[in-house]
Amino acid sequence: DSTEKGKNFTKLIAYLFSLVSNFEVVRVDAKTIGNEHDYDVLVRNLITNDPILEDFGSYIVAECKFIEDEKAGIDVLTKLLYKIKYHDCKSGILFSKKGVVKDDLNISIKKIFNRDSIVIVVVDIEEIIEVIDGKRSFLEVLLSAYERVRFEV
């Protein structure tokens, strides 16, 4: 069912993070005390010798959406941004099966980056499949997604 597929997608993303040297998966599918909000994947970024990956900050909040028939919308972006800002993080990654509703979200993500220096990147299932097939590394996918936001390419 779709809930099980979503949980498996989250586990896959956590596994891919764990394969990157100096990324440590801190929590998977965890809720805060009082169930205020949840973390699909929370990652500690210990990469300190790369100026680009330093932009991601010490912690990366990953939101995983395996929605069958639609792209993620502004509600998902708002939820992710809340988690990032609430915990004073510098970045978040939205992993979405179908990607995002492009026009409005890309403008919003760019504004967030320019105004608050918060990095929010979007990775869709095709990019994850490229990693699984060995065509690209997970880190290459993350950097490519970052450059799409930062330089609108």
Side-chain angles (χ1 to χ4, degrees), residues 1-140:
D1 72 337
S2 61
T3 302
E4 194 62 32
K5 287 179 184 177
K7 287 183 179 190
N8 288 334
F9 186 57
T10 298
K11 289 176 186 175
L12 172 63
I13 297 304
Y15 174 71
L16 293 175
F17 270 113
S18 75
L19 296 177
V20 177
S21 180
N22 291 317
F23 277 173
E24 292 181 357
V25 176
V26 178
R27 297 274 188 274
V28 178
D29 200 20
K31 298 198 182 322
T32 58
I33 297 171
N35 291 326
E36 182 178 354
H37 52 266
D38 63 291
Y39 293 102
D40 290 342
V41 183
L42 181 61
V43 178
R44 187 177 298 122
N45 178 9
L46 300 174
I47 300 172
T48 58
N49 60 348
D50 184 305
I52 296 168
L53 292 170
E54 285 179 11
D55 280 354
F56 283 83
S58 300
Y59 289 90
I60 300 168
V61 179
E63 187 75 17
C64 303
K65 294 296 173 199
F66 199 82
I67 305 167
E68 289 291 335
D69 298 323
E70 59 187 64
K71 296 179 178 187
I74 195 72
D75 56 327
V76 175
L77 176 64
T78 302
K79 181 180 173 185
L80 177 57
L81 181 60
Y82 171 78
K83 293 174 190 181
I84 294 167
K85 290 186 83 120
Y86 183 83
H87 293 286
D88 199 26
C89 294
K90 292 176 66 180
S91 69
I93 303 172
L94 173 57
F95 294 92
S96 174
K97 179 179 180 185
K98 297 284 187 177
V100 296
V101 179
K102 295 286 184 199
D103 298 333
D104 294 338
L105 285 186
N106 283 343
I107 291 169
S108 297
I109 290 169
K110 184 67 175 166
K111 284 181 180 178
I112 291 165
F113 178 80
N114 287 337
R115 186 184 63 225
D116 299 329
S117 296
I118 293 175
V119 176
I120 297 180
V121 300
V122 177
V123 176
D124 65 26
I125 194 71
E126 278 76 25
E127 293 172 298
I128 298 302
I129 291 170
E130 288 179 350
V131 174
I132 293 168
D133 289 344
K135 294 178 182 173
R136 296 169 72 190
S137 74
F138 188 60
L139 195 53
E140 287 173 328

Side-chain angles (χ1 to χ4, degrees), residues 106-107 110-111 114 145-153:
N106 283 343
I107 291 169
K110 184 67 175 166
K111 284 181 180 178
N114 287 337
Y146 169 79
E147 289 167 353
R148 281 195 304 266
V149 171
R150 180 133 190 215
F151 302 109
E152 298 178 39
V153 293

